[in-house]
């Protein structure tokens, strides 16, 4: 399919260009998207959740064998911790189909956990009650070289950032549109990073934490009552703030998204240049155990934190950066979405539809090259939004000046309207789309209403419920929501054919891990050195 080459639209109105000009151009570009291309849009979800004990403490048991091999199962794996499940859908052309698959995976997991004991999934992005750092179990993937490498990588993360930060959970939204070139995906990414504050404001749901999360760390959080909960009054997503997925070491990277070549060069350098603090840790300890995969700033590509990533499905044994360089960007991975504790699977269809519109808006509007000064300003905007996104009159940096978050967000939402209308028309929402809740137009309208009424945002709702129903206790609130979600999924079983299919996947994944381990013939150190070889990063 030919790439989409319609002329870009300037999103940031200035000079002689009026908001009317922008809206007219956006309508024209949206209409230029063919029905077939819009129907070819795909989205998939990766959803992380901690396994928790009934009282709200972290479950310290191994990954349940009845869920299959975390190394090879296509839908059920672990993230950083052995206690942290990651549930993965396929890529779907329909929002509801994607959600239905995610619900089915949850249903299988909940019934499997109940058969083995009384553990549940923790429905908040911020973790449950945590034990000491050394007690948090790192994920294990068996005795194969690839399995050992995955665990050693996570051990490296624990040395570099601490285990507590790694227990934060979220939702990743994988999205693609046919015919988009790598340059166009990078233009989308630049706009997304500029406008990410809007998603953090609208969908951030982590304004409070359990005090065990920050034990031994400096912070500016305030006490919420006297029960060991901490918060910030106007926070939207502490997960995306200074206490969340942040790295002082990585701030020196200032990765540019102006081109695939520039992006790849930045990551290449970070994975090939030794970094003195990590050299001090060493690859192995005096006893011969591995501390990390490498002493470079990044051990592997996935260690680079960001609100969005360019992605490409990799071949077996291939490095992700090599795949990007050789075959280009295939989709983007949105990484800033909190789990919504009021939604059984952490996200709902309306939010997904808004993400579709938002990503199309980022694609269809003009995207100027980024600069080091803008990259720094975007970092400051992210911190302001995470910590104070609901503060009245909060202003963000834009260009050489500042603008109210609410005003900037309202401008973006106005520009999203014609894109939503085009999606509804192309995807067959039919008559009455303006008044139905299951449409793209309704998703934008709901976002507009929430932005205008900050007390209705998920982050505000979380704090209101903690205060009003759970005696100012973050753990009590999330435990109650987790138990409610658990009962909801236990009340409905999979169809026999679905259950059999999941059980077959479990058995197949265990057999696949066994086969990988049986075929192993190379010592791990030789495997590690080959894997991190810089020549494997280039085409």
């Amino acid at each position: 399919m030919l790439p989409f080459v319609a002329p870009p639209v300037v999103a940031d109105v200035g000079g002689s260009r009026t908001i009317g000009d922008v809206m007219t151009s956006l309508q024209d570009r949206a209409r230029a998207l063919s029905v077939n291309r819009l129907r070819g849009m795909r989205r998939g979800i990766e959803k992380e959740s901690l396994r928790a004990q009934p009282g709200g403490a972290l479950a310290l048991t191994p990954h349940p064998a009845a869920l299959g091999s975390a190394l090879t199962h296509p839908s059920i794996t672990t993230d950083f911790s052995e206690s942290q499940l990651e549930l993965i859908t396929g890529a779907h052309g329909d929002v509801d189909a994607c959600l239905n698959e995610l619900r089915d995976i949850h249903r299988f997991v909940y019934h499997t956990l109940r058969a083995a004991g009384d553990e549940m999934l923790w429905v908040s992005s911020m973790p449950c009650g945590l034990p000491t750092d050394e007690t948090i179990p790192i994920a294990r993937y068996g005795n194969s070289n690839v399995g050992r490498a995955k665990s050693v990588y996570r051990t490296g993360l624990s040395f570099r950032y601490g285990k507590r930060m790694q227990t934060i959970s979220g939702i990743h939204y994988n999205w693609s549109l046919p015919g988009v070139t790598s340059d166009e995906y990078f233009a989308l990414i630049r706009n997304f990073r500029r406008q990410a504050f809007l998603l953090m404001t609208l969908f951030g749901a982590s304004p409070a934490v359990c005090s065990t999360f920050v034990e031994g760390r400096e912070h500016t959080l305030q006490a919420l009552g006297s029960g060991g909960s901490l918060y910030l009054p106007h926070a939207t997503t502490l997960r995306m703030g200074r206490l969340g997925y942040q790295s002082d070491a990585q701030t020196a990277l200032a990765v540019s998204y102006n081109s695939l070549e520039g992006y790849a060069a930045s990551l290449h350098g970070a994975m090939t240049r030794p970094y003195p603090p990590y050299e001090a840790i060493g690859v192995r300890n005096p006893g011969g155990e591995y501390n990390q995969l490498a002493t470079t700033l990044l051990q592997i590509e996935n260690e680079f934190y960001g609100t969005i990533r360019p992605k490409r499905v990799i071949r077996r044994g291939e490095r992700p950066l090599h795949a990007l360089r050789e075959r280009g960007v295939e989709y983007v991975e949105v990484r800033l979405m909190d789990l919504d504790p009021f939604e059984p699977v952490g996200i709902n269809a309306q939010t997904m539809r808004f993400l579709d519109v938002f990503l199309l808006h980022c694609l269809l509007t003009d995207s100027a090259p980024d600069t080091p000064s803008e990259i720094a300003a975007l970092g400051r905007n992210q911190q302001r939004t995470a910590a104070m996104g609901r503060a009245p009159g909060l202003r963000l940096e834009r260009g050489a000046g500042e603008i109210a978050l609410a005003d900037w967000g309202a401008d973006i939402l106005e520009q999203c309207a014609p894109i939503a209308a085009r999606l509804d028309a192309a995807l067959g929402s039919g008559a009455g789309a303006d008044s139905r809740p299951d449409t793209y137009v309704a998703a934008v309208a709901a976002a507009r209403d929430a932005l205008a009424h900050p007390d209705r945002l998920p982050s505000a709702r979380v704090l209101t419920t903690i205060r009003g129903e759970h005696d100012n206790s973050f753990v009590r609130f999330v435990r109650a929501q987790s138990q409610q979600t658990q009962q909801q999924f236990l009340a409905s079983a999979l169809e026999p054919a679905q259950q059999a299919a999941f059980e077959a996947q479990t058995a197949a994944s265990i057999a696949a891990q066994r086969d990988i381990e049986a075929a192993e013939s190379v010592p791990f150190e030789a495997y590690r050195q080959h894997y991190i070889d810089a020549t494997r990063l280039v085409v």
Side-chain angles (χ1 to χ4, degrees):
M1 183 176 293
L2 292 175
F4 183 47
V5 292
V9 174
V10 177
D12 197 2
V13 180
S16 61
R17 202 167 166 79
T18 67
I19 188 66
D21 294 332
V22 172
M23 295 298 292
T24 299
S25 297
L26 268 172
Q27 288 171 341
D28 291 342
R29 282 208 85 184
R31 290 192 193 103
L33 288 170
S34 70
V35 171
N36 284 340
R37 286 194 73 203
L38 291 175
R39 289 180 177 174
M41 185 167 54
R42 295 289 181 267
R43 77 281 292 153
I45 288 176
E46 303 168 35
K47 188 248 190 180
E48 304 155 350
S49 292
L50 293 173
R51 287 186 290 112
Q53 299 173 8
L58 183 69
L60 302 178
T61 51
H63 181 66
L67 294 179
S69 165
L71 179 66
T72 57
H73 199 293
S75 303
I76 303 170
T77 184
T78 51
D79 196 67
F80 169 79
S81 174
E82 188 77 350
S83 310
Q84 190 175 36
L85 289 174
E86 183 173 345
L87 310 182
I88 305 167
T89 75
H92 290 268
D94 180 76
V95 165
D96 292 321
C98 185
L99 269 181
N100 286 339
E101 183 187 1
L102 189 59
R103 291 189 190 103
D104 287 342
I105 300 170
H106 276 79
R107 199 168 285 118
F108 177 72
V109 167
Y110 273 105
H111 280 273
T112 301
L113 292 179
R114 172 46 57 92
D118 53 8
E119 293 176 1
M120 59 188 176
L121 299 186
W122 193 249
V123 299
S124 172
S125 281
M126 302 310 287
C128 51
L130 295 176
T132 58
D133 236 37
E134 57 269 21
T135 310
I136 298 172
I138 291 173
R140 302 297 174 190
Y141 300 92
N143 299 319
S144 66
N145 284 333
V146 64
R148 288 185 65 189
K150 289 170 72 72
S151 292
V152 171
Y153 164 63
R154 286 156 173 77
T155 300
L157 296 179
S158 72
F159 276 108
R160 293 167 176 228
Y161 315 111
K163 291 182 177 179
R164 279 173 166 74
M165 187 181 88
Q166 303 297 323
T167 62
I168 297 172
S169 297
I171 280 181
H172 299 168
Y173 196 73
N174 300 318
W175 185 91
S176 68
L177 183 74
V180 178
T181 66
S182 291
D183 284 345
E184 289 165 338
Y185 272 125
F186 272 93
L188 179 160
I189 288 170
R190 293 194 299 275
N191 276 337
F192 182 96
R193 285 165 47 79
R194 291 168 178 133
Q195 300 174 169
F197 73 89
L198 181 58
L199 296 183
M200 290 190 287
T201 302
L202 290 174
F203 305 113
S206 55
V209 299
C210 174
S211 61
T212 60
F213 177 72
V214 295
E215 192 170 312
R217 300 173 64 185
E218 292 185 2
H219 64 84
T220 59
L221 302 178
Q222 302 175 22
L224 183 59
S226 57
S229 298
L230 301 169
Y231 83 121
L232 289 176
H234 298 106
T236 57
T237 171
L238 296 179
R239 169 176 169 265
M240 297 303 299
R242 297 190 185 282
L243 291 173
Y245 271 108
Q246 304 292 312
S247 165
D248 291 338
Q250 290 188 23
T251 56
L253 278 174
V255 171
S256 170
Y257 293 86
N258 287 334
S259 68
L260 173 55
E261 293 76 16
Y263 174 81
S266 296
L267 292 194
H268 186 111
M271 289 186 289
T272 54
R273 289 193 300 268
Y275 186 64
Y278 300 156
E279 286 188 294
I281 296 171
V283 170
R284 301 170 86 163
N285 67 22
E289 295 176 331
Y290 284 87
N291 293 333
Q292 53 189 342
L293 287 175
T295 60
T296 46
L297 180 58
L298 301 178
Q299 299 173 86
I300 62 174
E301 294 88 336
N302 283 354
E303 188 174 342
F304 177 58
Y305 299 132
T307 56
I308 186 171
R309 283 180 184 161
K311 297 291 289 267
R312 156 71 59 178
V313 174
I314 62 172
R315 298 163 182 160
R316 184 172 180 179
E318 186 180 33
R319 292 295 298 266
L321 189 55
H322 176 275
L324 276 177
R325 280 172 155 166
E326 182 179 71
R327 303 188 298 282
V329 183
E330 185 176 4
Y331 65 97
V332 291
E333 177 189 48
V334 174
R335 299 174 51 82
L336 51 63
M337 299 297 290
D338 282 356
L339 302 182
D340 185 338
F342 301 103
E343 294 294 333
V345 297
I347 191 170
N348 62 30
Q350 189 168 80
T351 299
M352 293 172 66
R353 290 190 181 95
F354 183 80
L355 286 172
D356 290 345
V357 174
F358 184 84
L359 289 163
L360 276 174
H361 176 269
C362 292
L363 177 66
L364 295 178
T365 50
D366 189 30
S367 186
D370 58 31
T371 64
S373 60
E374 185 191 31
I375 291 169
L378 294 180
R380 292 189 291 271
N381 282 352
Q382 179 174 332
Q383 300 303 335
R384 289 186 195 179
T385 304
M388 301 181 293
R390 286 180 290 105
L394 178 67
R395 300 181 71 80
L396 301 179
E397 297 178 48
R398 188 172 74 172
E402 290 191 342
I403 183 172
L405 181 155
D407 292 342
W408 192 357
D411 287 346
I412 295 169
L413 291 175
E414 184 176 0
Q415 294 165 24
C416 283
I419 300 170
R422 173 59 179 155
L423 278 169
D424 282 331
L427 301 182
S429 298
D434 290 348
S435 60
R436 283 169 40 199
D438 60 339
T439 63
Y440 286 96
V441 168
V444 173
R448 189 182 297 114
D449 182 68
L451 186 67
H453 301 90
D455 58 319
R456 300 178 189 174
L457 295 170
S459 53
R461 188 180 173 194
V462 165
L463 288 180
T464 298
T465 309
I466 289 175
R467 287 169 168 146
E469 301 177 23
H470 299 284
D471 196 25
N472 289 320
S473 171
F474 166 78
V475 168
R476 288 183 191 174
F477 159 66
V478 184
R479 184 178 61 198
Q481 292 299 125
S482 300
Q483 290 170 337
Q484 178 180 319
T485 300
Q486 178 189 46
Q487 292 306 312
Q488 179 174 335
F489 279 107
L490 290 176
S492 60
L494 291 166
E495 295 293 328
Q498 293 175 306
Q499 180 70 24
F502 275 109
E503 291 174 356
Q505 273 190 331
T506 294
S509 70
I510 293 170
Q513 177 177 329
R514 190 183 306 120
D515 291 344
I516 292 170
E517 292 172 350
E520 206 66 81
S521 60
V522 179
F524 178 71
E525 178 58 18
Y527 174 90
R528 183 193 71 83
Q529 291 188 22
H530 172 71
Y531 188 81
I532 66 170
D533 187 339
T535 62
R536 301 185 67 242
L537 299 173
V538 298
V539 177

